[in-house]
Amino acid sequence: MNEDGCFPLLLSQRECGAIDAHIRMAASRAEVADILNRHDLSEDDFVAGFPDLAKAVLELPDESPPAA
C-alpha cells in the first residue's frame, strides 16, 4: 500500500494496513461487510479510501461457501 493509501480517511497507516489485510483475506462480500462493521467504516468510505480493493471485492461471492 502506498503512503496515500486511504487518503480521504482519517485512519492511521496501521489501521489502513489492517483493514487492507482483513479485506484481502475475506472469502465473500458478507465477510467484507462484517470487517467494515468491525472497523466502523461505511461502504462509501471504504470505496473512497480503498478504490482498487473495492473493485476486487465486487468479484467475491455474496456468501461464504459452506464449511466442509
Side-chain angles (χ1 to χ4, degrees):
M1 176 187 309
N2 66 28
E3 64 187 43
D4 294 329
C6 26
F7 162 70
L9 306 176
L10 297 176
L11 301 173
S12 69
Q13 285 300 111
R14 176 180 281 174
E15 190 167 8
C16 286
I19 293 167
D20 184 88
H22 290 141
I23 299 288
R24 289 183 189 279
M25 291 188 294
S28 70
R29 292 185 198 175
E31 285 184 40
V32 170
D34 183 54
I35 292 164
L36 295 180
N37 188 43
R38 281 187 276 144
H39 288 279
D40 293 323
L41 194 62
S42 71
E43 287 186 32
D44 290 339
D45 287 342
F46 172 63
V47 170
F50 301 88
D52 294 333
L53 194 52
K55 289 177 190 172
V57 166
L58 295 176
E59 297 176 15
L60 293 174
D62 290 335
E63 297 294 326
S64 297

